[in-house]
Amino acid sequence: MIVTKTPLRISFFGGGSDIPQFYEENEGMVISTAINSYIYLAVNRCVASHLRVIYSELEQTDSVENIKHNRVREVLKHFEIPSNLEIASFSDVPTKGTGLGSSSTFTVGLINALHRITSGRNIDHKELAELASYIEIVRCGEPIGKQDQYAASYGGFNTIYFHGNEVRVKPIDIDPSAAFELDSNLLAFNTGITRQASDILTQQVDNIKNHTIVDQTKAMVELAKSGLKLLQRKKIDEFGELLDHGWKIKKMLSDNISNPQIDEMYDRAMKNGALGGKLLGAGGGGYLLVYVQDKYKNRVLEAMKNYERDRKSTRLNSSHGYISYAVF
């Protein structure tokens, strides 16, 4: 049996610039970090001539083509595994529609496990990220970018650059005291709204094709560059304030990114001391991330008491190489 442990992620700046329709002609850049919440996959070769997949549903079939979970189906087809396999997934936090990159984290973990089973060796971080991107974007036809696959494959706190056919991952050299301050001042609240990221990203891709949001996406990249400089200079409160600018621009990328309920949540946090924030992921629901200095934290928590607070999903994991496996 192979067990993989793959991190979820938080993205701070540059969302949308990782979509091929943008970075094929422009420079894309995101700032993201792996977090101390994971998706675990147990993959076992079995005697029974079936395929058994356990996630939020249970599937058992004797044909790969009958598997409903598109990522599982396409990864099995890629590795030419027709049967005699059981897959079970587990997560530290609820993952559906949360904006933590869970779909790509799942895909990365599954590829990591099946590569080990079929080849007997580990897979390179870049090869893993590119194969996960290929499975999701090409084989599954998802209108998504590449940042989540790279964040899950590499782990750590990174800037990820996209341009043409090249993707580069560069670890952020952040002072430990600054990383601790950032970690301590982030709060996440569940909007109670789940959504399919593909629904929002489809409109975003169309808007990029029609050149209606190219300038806004370029502005997101410039904010990512500014955010990186602030982190390197240990200007963490200013980094938190910059999130507010990013959120205002992000809402221009698609009509579905925010709604009155989300705006009310965000405004409540800001009026009670938060310096900035954003919805995690594509938008439309999931977790609302806010940056709050310690002196205002209790006030914000009181103002947001009617919303479920996630106590795990803001814990940064700034070390690298968090893809792991165990053989049983």
Side-chain angles (χ1 to χ4, degrees), residues 91 197 214 227 270-271 312:
S91 178
V214 171
M270 292 293 286
K271 288 175 182 177
K312 293 190 67 176

Side-chain angles (χ1 to χ4, degrees), residues 9-48:
R9 66 96 185 98
I10 288 174
S11 178
F12 293 104
F13 294 107
S17 72
D18 65 320
I19 295 174
Q21 287 77 8
F22 178 81
Y23 69 71
E24 285 172 358
E25 297 183 6
N26 306 278
E27 180 187 23
M29 172 185 171
V30 300
I31 295 178
S32 74
T33 183
I35 59 175
N36 284 335
S37 294
Y38 303 87
I39 289 179
Y40 307 84
L41 281 167
V43 181
N44 184 49
R45 289 280 200 186
C46 61
V47 175

Side-chain angles (χ1 to χ4, degrees), residues 135-185:
I135 291 293
E136 294 191 312
I137 298 171
V138 178
R139 297 286 287 265
C140 295
E142 297 286 353
I144 59 176
K146 287 187 174 184
Q147 66 162 307
D148 291 353
Q149 300 89 341
Y150 273 83
S153 297
Y154 279 79
F157 196 5
N158 304 299
T159 50
I160 309 175
Y161 300 91
F162 308 89
H163 191 56
N165 294 320
E166 183 183 10
V167 181
R168 293 184 294 114
V169 178
K170 186 173 181 179
I172 295 175
D173 185 16
I174 184 172
D175 184 88
S177 64
F180 178 80
E181 182 180 355
L182 177 60
D183 184 73
S184 299
N185 291 347

Side-chain angles (χ1 to χ4, degrees), residues 187-192 261-274 276-279 286-292 296-311:
L187 300 174
F189 299 92
N190 193 347
T191 65
Q261 178 183 333
I262 293 169
D263 288 342
E264 194 278 333
M265 284 183 68
Y266 187 83
D267 290 343
R268 180 176 295 191
M270 292 293 286
K271 288 175 182 177
N272 284 277
K278 58 168 291 187
L279 274 182
Y287 286 114
L288 176 69
L289 182 74
V290 294
Y291 180 94
V292 187
Y296 295 117
K297 198 168 292 181
N298 287 337
R299 201 166 84 183
V300 169
L301 289 172
E302 176 63 23
M304 304 289 281
K305 64 183 179 182
N306 293 330
Y307 301 104
E308 177 189 353
R309 178 188 170 195
D310 190 294
R311 297 179 181 274

Side-chain angles (χ1 to χ4, degrees), residues 176-219:
S177 64
F180 178 80
E181 182 180 355
L182 177 60
D183 184 73
S184 299
N185 291 347
L186 293 173
L187 300 174
F189 299 92
N190 193 347
T191 65
I193 305 170
T194 59
R195 82 289 179 272
Q196 289 291 332
S198 58
D199 296 338
I200 298 168
L201 291 172
T202 296
Q203 182 183 12
Q204 195 169 326
V205 168
D206 289 341
N207 288 341
I208 289 175
K209 287 180 178 178
N210 296 328
H211 303 285
T212 57
I213 61 165
V214 171
D215 288 343
Q216 290 90 334
T217 308
K218 288 180 178 179

